[in-house]
Amino acid sequence: MTTRPRRSAVALALVAVLALSGCVPTWLSGLTGQDTSTPTGEEVDAGLEPYYRQALVWERCGGGAQCATAIAPLDWDDPGEGDDVELALVRYRATEEAQGSLFVNPGGPGASGFDFVRDSVDFAVSERLRERFDVIGWDPRGVGRSSAVTCFTDPADMDEFIYGVPEAEPETPEWVDELERSAQRFVDACAENSGDLLEHVDTDSTVRDLDMLRAVVGDESLNYFGYSYGTEIGARYADRFPERVGRLVLDGATDPTTTQFEVVLAQSIGFESALTTYLTECAAAATCPFPTDTAAALAVVEQLYERLESDPIAGPDGRLFTDSVLDIAVATALYDEASWEFLSQMFTELRTGVVETGFLLADFYYGRENGEYLDNSLEAFIAINCLDYPVERDAERIIEQNAAIAEAAPVTSDPSVLGDVVCQNWPHEFEGELEPVRAEGAPPILVIGTTGDPATPYVWAEALAEQLESGVLLTYDGEGHIAYDEGDPCINDLVDDYLISGAVPASDPVCAG
């Protein structure tokens, strides 16, 4: 779950390869017979039989991992009609006797679960979990190695979309026209290069993909570890398939009832609060580039935002380091307390007009390296969010919402007067309701919230645990996004015990970071 821009048509950022699979392949259609049971023995509708009964072919793909490709219908409500989508999976077998699979998703939306597990399985889960589970990561539809959303194919176009600065004076009719043209150009590229896929990358479709994947790996119930936006997938899965819930851990939880405005407002407050905490703790360091008084330090940051808005700094490659780029750089470093040192380095450099660390942080966020974009996470992020949230188009309402954001986070917030101009022009509309998830009848589900989390505020974890009929809240009293990756035994031992044995604490332990 990511954050918001300042005075920009973009929502957030990254590049890709489209992998639509065409119609049902011959090897898959050959599985359609009278037996409509899955590898787990469960009954499915005849139209879903080719998908739920497919046999995955796992092949070695380096470092002890195995990789496979699954096929899912493009439209779950009309399977067998039109193209299918490919889903890329990676698996590490249990190092001891397996008690099933554990699916892992790192969040986003748009982050690659394939890369997360393949490249850092020992970071994603503990040694204890690796002993007991086949750990599986996958790229959700629209993402990475799966059938992927593609918009711009030229990195220069993506640079212009993300880092470009309108030539007109801010908030003039000419400035508005520039931002709208930029947004429309991006939307048109997404529609042209992604085709029908663009309509079917919503989270509810991913939830149905996940249930199919559970079945084809032979698990009667789903064991799942979702981080950040990955908790949205897990929570919606539990609500749709409560009878198939095994053990679910939702760390850095989202609240499925929040609107896009409520997300932006909460994250604006969260990141400004995290920045304040950083500045307070920075004061104790001899290398801190700020006054020791927190209020005075915040004033310095606010002045920097204002200066960069009117007078950006040109980087070595010609890109301009604007207030929008500063915002993304700051947010990137605030995701984890261990990255705060990069903030001090960036702010120190900016005092002399050096933007190396600032661009390093922003480029890391956008997946940009040496002028190239390494994945499609920006395109996927925007495409999924435009389908998952209703978009606000009423100008007066946008003004009211912007005023609320600016009041709540006066130093770092400066929302676009146009609202989300990309989703406003998206070719496909949000369908459905932002409703609470209940998961009636599901076994206990662990929901973890970090009190100082700027990206998925702690109140969201409280809300999700309350919504879920069997939600069990674990609180990590600390800074940063996600608790499990902090390695605190208080959290991690409880999570591991739950996934292995189903044990849940009698009450919230409130683990201190």
Side-chain angles (χ1 to χ4, degrees), residues 38 46 104 218 224 241 329 333 356 487 499:
T38 72
V104 179
Y224 176 81
F241 302 107
E356 180 179 357
L499 286 171

Side-chain angles (χ1 to χ4, degrees), residues 248-440:
L248 270 58
V249 177
L250 311 178
D251 186 358
T254 63
D255 177 356
T257 68
T258 54
T259 65
Q260 192 174 52
F261 161 66
E262 290 167 338
V263 169
V264 173
L265 177 63
Q267 291 189 334
S268 297
I269 294 170
F271 279 99
E272 187 143 325
S273 176
L275 176 63
T276 302
T277 302
Y278 153 74
L279 292 171
T280 301
E281 297 195 10
C282 176
T287 56
C288 182
F290 292 101
T292 55
D293 179 74
T294 302
L298 278 168
V300 171
V301 175
E302 186 170 18
Q303 291 164 9
L304 179 60
Y305 271 113
E306 292 171 352
R307 177 161 59 87
L308 289 172
E309 181 179 12
S310 59
D311 188 21
I313 302 172
D317 61 0
R319 289 182 296 157
L320 295 178
F321 193 85
T322 63
D323 57 330
S324 297
V325 180
L326 175 64
D327 201 44
I328 292 299
V330 168
T332 301
L334 288 175
Y335 267 81
D336 192 325
E337 191 173 358
S339 300
W340 287 3
E341 62 183 281
F342 291 102
L343 279 180
S344 295
Q345 184 174 337
M346 178 186 70
F347 284 124
T348 299
E349 290 177 354
L350 287 172
R351 291 166 65 179
T352 58
V354 176
V355 293
E356 180 179 357
T357 301
F359 270 124
L360 176 70
L361 288 168
D363 285 348
F364 175 79
Y365 179 84
Y366 289 125
R368 185 183 188 275
E369 185 175 308
N370 298 323
E372 300 289 332
Y373 290 85
L374 305 181
D375 56 47
N376 79 320
S377 32
L378 171 61
E379 287 115 324
F381 176 91
I382 294 174
I384 294 168
N385 275 344
C386 287
L387 296 179
D388 277 359
Y389 291 99
V391 62
E392 184 62 68
R393 291 185 172 86
D394 183 84
E396 291 186 3
R397 185 64 181 145
I398 290 171
I399 291 172
E400 293 174 1
Q401 293 177 348
N402 286 349
I405 294 168
E407 181 179 359
V411 174
T412 57
S413 67
D414 190 7
S416 171
V417 297
L418 303 179
D420 188 345
V421 68
V422 174
C423 287
Q424 288 168 5
N425 290 281
W426 205 249
H428 306 290
E429 295 281 339
F430 164 79
E431 297 179 1
E433 300 290 336
L434 299 175
E435 298 178 328
V437 291
R438 303 298 185 197
E440 295 179 1

Side-chain angles (χ1 to χ4, degrees), residues 423-495:
C423 287
Q424 288 168 5
N425 290 281
W426 205 249
H428 306 290
E429 295 281 339
F430 164 79
E431 297 179 1
E433 300 290 336
L434 299 175
E435 298 178 328
V437 291
R438 303 298 185 197
E440 295 179 1
I445 297 170
L446 284 192
V447 180
I448 307 174
T450 299
T451 56
D453 186 342
T456 53
Y458 177 70
V459 293
W460 290 354
E462 291 181 305
L464 180 59
E466 181 67 25
Q467 290 170 35
L468 291 166
E469 185 181 82
S470 58
V472 177
L473 179 65
L474 300 186
T475 299
Y476 180 67
D477 187 8
E479 298 297 320
H481 183 43
I482 306 304
Y484 191 82
D485 67 359
E486 296 297 320
D488 187 326
C490 179
I491 288 288
N492 290 27
D493 288 350
L494 288 171
V495 169

Side-chain angles (χ1 to χ4, degrees), residues 89-369:
L89 299 95
V90 64
R91 175 177 71 180
Y92 283 94
R93 286 291 204 175
T95 57
E96 297 183 5
E97 185 176 354
Q99 62 185 61
S101 304
L102 177 63
F103 284 85
V104 179
N105 181 276
S112 171
F114 184 106
D115 289 352
F116 183 60
V117 169
R118 184 198 61 183
D119 298 340
S120 54
V121 64
D122 291 323
F123 176 81
V125 298
S126 70
E127 183 179 351
R128 287 180 64 200
L129 296 181
R130 285 209 60 193
E131 290 173 351
R132 302 298 188 92
F133 292 97
D134 295 337
V135 180
I136 299 177
W138 89 106
D139 281 352
R141 55 174 59 212
V143 176
R145 290 173 175 78
S146 293
S147 295
V149 170
T150 301
C151 300
F152 291 133
T153 57
D154 186 339
D157 290 329
M158 188 63 76
D159 275 351
E160 179 61 28
F161 179 61
I162 295 171
Y163 295 105
V165 179
E167 295 180 0
E169 287 294 316
E171 301 183 24
T172 62
E174 293 78 14
W175 177 84
V176 170
D177 287 344
E178 283 192 65
L179 290 184
E180 289 183 338
R181 284 197 303 272
S182 174
Q184 191 63 59
R185 184 167 176 261
F186 177 80
V187 170
D188 290 345
C190 296
E192 179 179 355
N193 293 321
S194 299
D196 292 340
L197 175 67
L198 207 61
E199 187 178 359
H200 299 286
V201 293
D202 56 287
T203 298
D204 287 339
S205 293
T206 288
V207 163
R208 298 180 74 171
D209 291 343
L210 181 56
D211 188 60
M212 180 201 72
L213 295 176
R214 169 203 57 79
V216 299
V217 301
D219 289 351
E220 294 184 359
S221 57
L222 176 72
N223 299 316
Y224 176 81
F225 201 150
Y227 296 98
S228 194
Y229 161 77
T231 68
E232 185 88 9
I233 298 172
R236 293 199 196 182
Y237 181 94
D239 198 50
R240 187 178 186 100
F241 302 107
E243 74 284 0
R244 297 174 188 170
V245 169
R247 295 162 191 164
L248 270 58
V249 177
L250 311 178
D251 186 358
T254 63
D255 177 356
T257 68
T258 54
T259 65
Q260 192 174 52
F261 161 66
E262 290 167 338
V263 169
V264 173
L265 177 63
Q267 291 189 334
S268 297
I269 294 170
F271 279 99
E272 187 143 325
S273 176
L275 176 63
T276 302
T277 302
Y278 153 74
L279 292 171
T280 301
E281 297 195 10
C282 176
T287 56
C288 182
F290 292 101
T292 55
D293 179 74
T294 302
L298 278 168
V300 171
V301 175
E302 186 170 18
Q303 291 164 9
L304 179 60
Y305 271 113
E306 292 171 352
R307 177 161 59 87
L308 289 172
E309 181 179 12
S310 59
D311 188 21
I313 302 172
D317 61 0
R319 289 182 296 157
L320 295 178
F321 193 85
T322 63
D323 57 330
S324 297
V325 180
L326 175 64
D327 201 44
I328 292 299
V330 168
T332 301
L334 288 175
Y335 267 81
D336 192 325
E337 191 173 358
S339 300
W340 287 3
E341 62 183 281
F342 291 102
L343 279 180
S344 295
Q345 184 174 337
M346 178 186 70
F347 284 124
T348 299
E349 290 177 354
L350 287 172
R351 291 166 65 179
T352 58
V354 176
V355 293
E356 180 179 357
T357 301
F359 270 124
L360 176 70
L361 288 168
D363 285 348
F364 175 79
Y365 179 84
Y366 289 125
R368 185 183 188 275
E369 185 175 308

